[in-house]
Amino acid sequence: MANDEVILLDFWASMFGMRLRIALAEKEIKYEYKEEEGLITNKSSLLLEMNPIHKKVPVLIHNGKPICESIIGVEYIEEVWKDKAPLLPSDPYEKAQARFWADYVDKKLYVSSRKIWGTKGEEQEAGKKDFIEVLKVLEGELGEKPYFGGDYFGFVDIALIGFYSWFYAYETYGNFSTEAECPKFVAWAKRCMQRDSVAKSLPNQHKVLEFIQMLRQKFGIE
C-alpha cells in the first residue's frame, strides 16, 4: 500500500487525535497532518465535508474516504496495515477485552476528567472523585503488567495514554497528585512516554494547561 494517500485532520490538544497519531507512528505509516486551527470557532470546509455528522476531529482520510471516531480509526489502521506492529491481540476473547477497556476509557475517564477542568465547586469535586476512582479501576486492570495488553504496547494503551498530556491541567485545577493516588498508573504512563510513537505524538503538558486556561475563560468558568 505504498501509494496510499493518508491524511489526518486533527487538533494538537485532542487526546483522541493522539490515538491516531500513535497508531500511525507504530505502523510507520507516512501521512499528511492537517491541523484544524479554527476548531473552536471556524471549522474547515474539509472537516465539514469529511465528518458532516459530528463535525469533529480526528478524521482519518484514506484514499479520499473518511474514517471518523478515534477508536474506529485505530481499528481501521490495524486492519489495513496488519503486517506491522499488531495493536490488537489475535485471540478473539483478548480482543474483546481490549475493546471493552477502550470503551470504558471513553465512557468513564473522559466525562469525569472534563468536569475537573470544565466546572467549579461541587461538580468539580465530584468529577475529581470519579476521575480518581476510574484511574484506580484501570490500575487494577493493569496489575503488574508493563502494558494493558501484557508485555506489548497496544490498543488499550493507545486509547488511554493521550489523556496523560492533560494530567498536569487536571491536577492544577483539581488540586491533587495522580502519582500519590495511583502510582502504578503513572509508572505505566512514563513507560509509554519512552516510546517514540508516544513521545512525539503527545503535546507538552504546560502548553495543554495554557489551552485549558483559555477555554475556561472562553466558557466563563473563571
Side-chain angles (χ1 to χ4, degrees):
M1 311 194 93
N3 296 321
D4 284 357
E5 180 191 52
V6 181
I7 299 170
L8 179 61
L9 302 185
D10 201 358
F11 181 69
W12 68 270
S14 169
M15 68 274 288
F16 303 110
M18 293 172 210
R19 292 170 171 175
L20 295 179
R21 288 174 236 164
I22 294 168
L24 289 165
E26 286 287 326
K27 298 283 189 178
E28 297 182 353
I29 300 163
K30 293 182 179 180
Y31 65 97
E32 180 183 355
Y33 179 90
K34 290 194 174 185
E35 177 78 5
E36 279 290 318
E37 295 178 356
L39 185 65
I40 307 298
T41 56
N42 186 25
K43 297 175 182 182
S44 74
S45 58
L46 182 60
L47 175 61
L48 297 178
E49 177 189 351
M50 291 295 161
N51 191 358
I53 306 301
H54 295 304
K55 304 176 179 64
K56 293 179 179 179
V57 296
V59 181
L60 182 71
I61 306 172
H62 183 208
N63 294 330
K65 297 178 180 178
I67 300 94
C68 304
E69 298 295 302
S70 60
I71 284 296
I72 293 171
V74 173
E75 290 208 48
Y76 181 86
I77 290 167
E78 170 72 346
E79 290 179 14
V80 174
W81 293 279
K82 60 179 66 174
D83 58 332
K84 186 172 182 64
L87 306 178
L88 274 162
S90 57
D91 179 78
Y93 177 76
E94 291 179 4
K95 190 178 293 184
Q97 289 298 101
R99 287 173 173 145
F100 171 86
W101 286 109
D103 184 65
Y104 180 84
V105 169
D106 279 353
K107 288 179 177 173
K108 296 291 188 179
L109 192 64
Y110 177 71
V111 174
S112 60
S113 65
R114 200 180 192 287
K115 287 180 182 177
I116 296 174
W117 68 263
T119 64
K120 295 189 293 187
E122 291 182 5
E123 191 174 0
Q124 184 186 51
E125 281 299 311
K128 179 175 74 172
K129 180 173 178 289
D130 289 346
F131 178 78
I132 292 170
E133 286 180 1
V134 170
L135 287 189
K136 288 184 182 296
V137 170
L138 289 166
E139 199 175 49
E141 168 59 19
L142 178 65
E144 301 301 322
K145 304 188 298 287
Y147 299 107
F148 279 89
D151 292 331
Y152 301 102
F153 180 82
F155 192 70
V156 180
D157 306 293
I158 290 173
L160 183 55
I161 190 58
F163 285 87
Y164 185 61
S165 62
W166 287 57
F167 271 36
Y168 180 64
Y170 299 155
E171 293 175 342
T172 299
Y173 286 108
N175 191 29
F176 68 98
S177 165
T178 310
E179 193 157 22
E181 297 284 353
C182 303
K184 287 183 181 179
F185 185 92
V186 173
W188 161 84
K190 291 178 177 178
R191 191 175 304 120
C192 291
M193 288 297 294
Q194 293 174 358
R195 301 180 72 84
D196 280 350
S197 64
V198 177
K200 292 178 180 178
S201 298
L202 268 59
N204 180 278
Q205 293 200 9
H206 292 270
K207 186 181 177 185
V208 173
L209 175 62
E210 291 173 4
F211 171 66
I212 292 177
Q213 288 170 336
M214 180 274 290
L215 285 183
R216 284 175 63 90
Q217 291 169 358
K218 180 179 176 61
F219 298 143
I221 302 168
E222 61 179 42

